[in-house]
């Protein structure tokens, strides 16, 4: 077909619509992140108890056997926490944490002292001995002793072995003794309650097998708590962990965000004020090391960030991203950069090409800002930073090269003689059609499909890098819309295979999320923007032949 066909007249307006929507979406996304969200106030800024682990700075992790947190660090942390919490819960006696009961007592705080149990029996023995010594020394500071945390969930000890540790500690101290695990595991091992003085359950709506939306999360906690009280009559039931993450991927309609964390904690504290229920929130500080176990989301359950700053207030509105204007500025910078780049070897006349470049640059800038924000929260080491930055640069350069080609096509009708190689050259290449962007498109399809496979088969802890892939995906879609030749483009066979996989993988992610995850739908949309032009060109080229 020629530029004068109905398809050509339809393709150009459609390409403009896509371009305007992309730029408008980038602006609207960041603007919405910067809007204050009204939430219910907490009845108090003082909280009963909070999980405390000091491993929050670069390189710190409890998995390092040589890690040791100095008493000075712990004392400084507890001094800060004492202004907001009446109690702290610990999980181990080693690596300096054995000093917590004594130091907490100086600030009038109580301690739920944790004993870490696992497969290493010698380490278990050291933990128990340290805990029993602390129980004798600091009994007045202890609210309870938690013998093991989610040991059954991790399948590191049998119920019988775990019970023997609990009974041993219980027999050696007058401090109340318990065990803590996800509430379903208490249902599966109810006999374990006989060895404890009270039952400690974890209720984390975000991590449930059927994730619970933040708006319904506190109701879910209340229902589970009442159910567990019925299942363990005569035993006090404590919520040993509950909370919400401020960053990371969404699980169905359970979105990890700062606003949702603030919403959940405020609503939970309102609920807790109406019932007689001991509880502990997870957690005091963000724990970056947990990203090794649970992806980005694992590192951001803290009420304070790694610098010890409150992430939000317990009253008033909450803003998801106070730095949203930086992203808008990134969009403006992208527009300016694309305009300057377009001035070199310009192949069009008139204002349409410049408008196209400005919109493309703004959309790319805001998308790159989203990618940078993901890297800020997700990257754990210099290698991940290097890979993430390199991928962002590659996406930006691809977007720039596509934007220049799109501007040339939108500014003036395409001259088929300028873009189609002569028949002799096509025969020499041995394919029906080859264009300058085919290698780029193939590479992006390959990496998109590769990441899609990871999302489908091992995606529980993986983020959706929407900002990274949006730049090339939308650019290739627009370029495909503007191919209005009489001879349709025949994609490479590898591209055809990848296109089919992209559609299937994107649909599979949405299905895994039961259609409830808006980000998963956005992921599918990007898959389609990259795959459908290839599939449609394949069909059109086949029909012409």
């Amino acid at each position: 077909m020629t530029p004068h066909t109905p398809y050509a007249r339809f393709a150009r307006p459609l390409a403009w619509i896509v371009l305007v929507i992309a730029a408008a979406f980038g602006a609207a996304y960041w603007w919405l992140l910067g809007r204050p969200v009204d939430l219910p106030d907490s009845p108090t800024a003082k909280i009963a108890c909070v999980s405390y682990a000091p491993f929050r700075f670069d390189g710190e992790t409890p998995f390092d056997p040589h890690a040791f947190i100095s008493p000075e660090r712990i004392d400084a942390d507890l001094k800060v926490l004492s202004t907001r919490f009446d109690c702290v819960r610990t999980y181990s006696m080693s690596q300096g944490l054995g000093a917590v009961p004594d130091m907490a007592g100086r600030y009038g705080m109580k301690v739920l002292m944790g004993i870490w149990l696992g497969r290493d029996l010698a380490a278990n023995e050291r933990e128990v001995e340290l805990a029993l010594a602390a129980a004798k020394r600091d009994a007045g500071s202890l609210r309870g002793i938690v013998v093991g945390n989610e040991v059954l969930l991790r399948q590191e000890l049998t119920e019988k072995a775990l019970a023997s540790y609990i009974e041993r500690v219980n027999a050696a101290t007058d401090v109340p003794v318990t065990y803590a695990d996800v509430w379903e595991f208490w249902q599966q091992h109810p006999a374990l309650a006989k060895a404890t003085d009270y039952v400690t359950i974890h209720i984390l709506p975000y991590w449930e097998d059927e994730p619970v939306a933040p708006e319904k999360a506190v109701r879910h906690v209340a229902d589970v708590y009442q159910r567990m009280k019925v299942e363990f009559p005569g035993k006090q039931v404590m919520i040993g962990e509950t909370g919400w993450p401020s960053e990371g991927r969404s699980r169905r309609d359970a979105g990890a965000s700062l606003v949702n964390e603030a919403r959940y904690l405020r609503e939970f504290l309102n609920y807790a004020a109406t019932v007689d229920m001991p509880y502990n929130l997870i957690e005091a500080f963000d724990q970056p090391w947990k990203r090794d176990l649970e992806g980005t989301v694992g590192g951001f359950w803290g009420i304070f960030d790694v610098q010890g700053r409150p992430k939000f207030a317990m009253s008033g509105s909450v803003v998801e991203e106070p730095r949203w204007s930086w992203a808008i500025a990134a969009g403006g910078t992208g527009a300016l950069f694309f305009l300057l780049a377009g001035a070199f070897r310009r192949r069009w006349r008139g204002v349409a090409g410049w408008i196209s470049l400005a919109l493309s640059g703004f959309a790319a800038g805001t998308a790159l800002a989203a990618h940078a924000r993901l890297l800020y929260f997700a990257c754990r080491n210099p290698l991940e930073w290097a890979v993430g930055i390199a991928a962002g640069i590659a996406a930006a350069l691809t977007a720039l090269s596509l934007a220049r080609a799109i501007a040339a096509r939108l500014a003036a009708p395409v001259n088929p003689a300028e873009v189609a190689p002569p028949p002799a050259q096509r025969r020499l290449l041995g394919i029906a059609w080859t264009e300058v962007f085919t290698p780029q498109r193939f590479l992006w399809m390959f990496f998109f499909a590769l990441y899609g496979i990871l999302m489908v088969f091992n995606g529980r802890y993986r983020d959706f890098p929407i900002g990274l892939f949006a730049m090339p995906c939308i650019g290739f879609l627009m370029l495909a819309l503007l191919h209005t030749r009489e001879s349709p483009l025949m994609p490479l066979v590898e591209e055809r295979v990848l296109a089919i996989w992209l559609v299937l993988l994107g649909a599979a992610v949405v299905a895994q999320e039961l259609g409830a995850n808006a980000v998963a739908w956005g992921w599918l949309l990007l898959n389609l923007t990259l795959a459908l032009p290839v599939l449609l060109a394949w069909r059109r080229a086949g029909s012409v032949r």
Side-chain angles (χ1 to χ4, degrees), residues 97-184:
L97 286 167
V100 170
D102 175 56
M103 293 183 179
R106 302 175 192 173
Y107 298 105
M109 302 178 77
K110 296 294 184 179
V111 178
L112 286 172
M113 185 174 69
I115 298 176
W116 188 262
L117 299 178
R119 293 188 177 92
D120 188 336
L121 300 184
N124 292 349
E125 189 64 26
R126 289 193 298 271
E127 285 277 322
V128 170
E129 290 177 357
L130 288 170
L132 292 178
K136 292 179 181 179
R137 183 181 65 247
D138 304 306
S141 298
L142 299 182
R143 183 171 290 177
I145 301 176
V146 184
V147 184
N149 178 73
E150 296 186 351
V151 181
L152 298 174
L153 170 66
R154 299 193 308 273
Q155 300 180 339
E156 293 186 348
L157 290 174
T158 65
E159 179 182 331
K160 181 179 179 181
L162 177 59
S164 68
Y165 283 112
I166 298 171
E167 290 166 351
R168 175 184 169 187
V169 174
N170 215 344
T173 181
D174 294 330
V175 178
V177 173
T178 186
Y179 165 70
D181 213 323
V182 177
W183 61 276
E184 292 100 331

Side-chain angles (χ1 to χ4, degrees), residues 1-3 347 409 413-423 425-426 433 484-487:
M1 62 183 67
T2 69
R347 296 184 298 159
R409 286 165 171 78
V414 175
N415 181 358
E418 295 179 0
V419 293
Q425 183 180 352
R426 294 201 321 216
W433 173 264
T484 57
R485 303 177 184 78
E486 196 153 319
S487 298

Side-chain angles (χ1 to χ4, degrees), residues 19 22-24 26 331 335 358-368 471 474:
L19 185 54
L359 291 174
S360 297
F362 184 86
T366 55
L368 195 61
M471 290 181 274
I474 296 173

Side-chain angles (χ1 to χ4, degrees), residues 353-402:
W354 297 112
I355 295 174
S356 169
L357 275 177
L359 291 174
S360 297
F362 184 86
T366 55
L368 195 61
H371 179 60
R373 187 176 189 270
L374 175 61
L375 296 183
Y376 177 77
F377 290 110
C379 288
R380 299 167 294 174
N381 52 58
L383 177 61
E384 291 187 349
W385 273 107
V387 171
I389 291 172
I393 292 173
L397 292 177
T398 301
L400 175 59
S401 61
L402 289 168

Side-chain angles (χ1 to χ4, degrees), residues 51 89 91 116 146 148-151 153-154 179-186 199-205 207-208 220-221 224 228 237-243 264 280 282:
S51 294
R89 176 187 170 186
Y91 291 80
W116 188 262
V146 184
N149 178 73
E150 296 186 351
V151 181
L153 170 66
R154 299 193 308 273
Y179 165 70
D181 213 323
V182 177
W183 61 276
E184 292 100 331
F185 285 86
W186 275 105
V199 172
T200 300
I201 60 175
H202 296 171
I203 313 176
L204 300 166
W207 279 130
E208 294 285 24
H220 169 76
V221 171
V224 170
M228 297 301 287
V237 178
M238 175 182 184
I239 296 180
E241 283 185 3
T242 194
Y264 177 78
N280 172 75
I282 185 167

Side-chain angles (χ1 to χ4, degrees), residues 22 25-26 29-30 248-250 363-364 366-375 391-392 395 444 448 451 455 462-474 506 509-510 517-529:
F25 180 86
Y29 170 78
W30 286 105
R249 64 160 290 163
S250 297
T366 55
L368 195 61
H371 179 60
R373 187 176 189 270
L374 175 61
L375 296 183
W444 281 106
F448 204 171
Y451 197 87
M455 289 294 294
R462 296 187 187 278
D463 299 303
F464 288 93
I466 298 287
L468 174 65
F469 286 106
M471 290 181 274
C473 286
I474 296 173
V509 170
V510 171
N517 188 340
V519 182
W521 282 104
W523 184 254
L524 172 60
L525 181 61
L526 288 183
N527 278 264
L528 294 177
T529 60

Side-chain angles (χ1 to χ4, degrees), residues 480-497:
L481 289 173
L482 294 170
H483 278 312
T484 57
R485 303 177 184 78
E486 196 153 319
S487 298
L489 308 182
M490 173 60 77
L492 301 175
V493 64
E494 294 86 354
E495 288 186 296
R496 289 173 255 165
V497 173

